[in-house]
Amino acid sequence: DVYVPFLLDDTAMQVFFGGSSSGKSYFLGQRAVLDTLQGRNYLILRNVAKTLRGSVWNEVTKAIANMGLSAWFNVGKSDMTITALNNGAQIMFAGLDDVEKIKSITPANGVLTDIWVEEATEIDYEDYKQLEKRLRGLSRHKKRITLSFNPVYKDHWLFKQFFGGWADDDTAYRDEHLTIIKTTYKDNRFLTPGDIHRLE
């Protein structure tokens, strides 16, 4: 329930952070699938390409299957590109360890509207600044960068960059350009009692 208000959030910069099993990656995978059916083109990144298939790729493909939307997508396992059959919009995956590939990635139809960086604490500030340049060109959708990660130390560039208006006991922050939401396992109502016991 905590994520529902952010399903249609078009704030340009979005930060989802919190503890393990809070459901943030699960939600963002679902949102990417639904957004693509509306014509948004996604680039989903992690710092190292080989970590994609066992993490965000699985989250997105499971979301497609769990929502009964398999007939609406072509899932290209070899090139890790998912294409919505109703409009040609795509979800593409890449690692920041191949910078030249990132520079040349472009969707088959339209322009990139969304970049989602999973485990954003793994990337450097310089990488983040380069990503901002990837969102260019005309689109009917507002461009967005979404970062997801576990809690971060106050000396990390992410904290210095985005948490200037954040108080330690906050769970959400929003202004004209930035949305931040903090979640924990307590926000995930799909955990079993055994899951909760282990987490606690």
Side-chain angles (χ1 to χ4, degrees), residues 6 10 40 48 53 64 91 99 117 143 146 150 175 177:
F6 302 94
D10 61 3
R40 286 186 169 274
V48 178
R53 198 173 292 274
I64 291 171
I91 304 172
V99 176
V117 183
K143 311 280 180 52
T146 300
N150 291 329
D175 63 31
H177 307 288

Side-chain angles (χ1 to χ4, degrees), residues 19-193:
S20 175
S21 298
S22 64
K24 57 189 179 296
S25 298
Y26 193 92
F27 162 71
L28 290 171
Q30 290 179 321
R31 187 173 80 166
V33 170
L34 296 173
D35 282 346
T36 306
L37 290 174
Q38 300 301 317
R40 286 186 169 274
N41 285 302
Y42 267 75
L43 176 58
I44 300 179
L45 300 164
R46 284 197 65 174
N47 193 44
V48 178
K50 67 181 181 181
T51 61
L52 288 162
R53 198 173 292 274
S55 58
V56 278
W57 168 264
N58 285 343
E59 287 290 7
V60 173
T61 54
K62 282 193 299 186
I64 291 171
N66 291 341
M67 290 190 284
L69 296 172
S70 297
W72 289 78
F73 290 93
N74 177 43
V75 178
K77 294 181 181 178
S78 58
D79 64 353
M80 294 181 72
T81 298
I82 297 170
T83 305
L85 299 177
N86 67 321
N87 57 26
Q90 293 181 310
I91 304 172
M92 299 163 289
F93 297 78
L96 283 164
D97 50 344
D98 190 349
V99 176
E100 292 308 311
K101 183 177 180 183
I102 300 297
K103 289 179 181 177
S104 62
I105 284 180
T106 186
N109 183 20
V111 299
L112 274 179
T113 61
D114 285 84
I115 294 176
W116 167 21
V117 183
E118 170 74 322
E119 303 295 353
T121 47
E122 298 173 352
I123 74 169
D124 295 327
Y125 176 72
E126 291 73 20
D127 292 327
Y128 163 73
K129 296 305 289 181
Q130 287 299 316
L131 293 178
E132 289 185 310
K133 299 175 185 177
R134 297 295 306 134
L135 294 178
R136 59 181 183 267
L138 293 174
S139 172
R140 64 186 177 91
H141 300 284
K142 287 182 68 175
K143 311 280 180 52
R144 302 181 302 192
I145 295 179
T146 300
L147 306 178
S148 56
F149 50 88
N150 291 329
V152 63
Y153 291 112
K154 291 185 178 180
D155 61 352
H156 197 284
W157 72 264
L158 282 166
F159 191 90
K160 295 174 182 177
Q161 180 77 15
F162 299 114
F163 288 78
W166 184 264
D168 285 342
D169 57 348
D170 284 347
T171 56
Y173 172 87
R174 179 176 282 168
D175 63 31
E176 185 180 353
H177 307 288
L178 172 66
T179 292
I180 304 175
I181 176 171
K182 176 185 179 182
T183 52
T184 71
Y185 74 92
K186 293 178 181 179
D187 296 300
N188 186 350
R189 63 185 173 90
F190 299 100
L191 294 175
T192 69

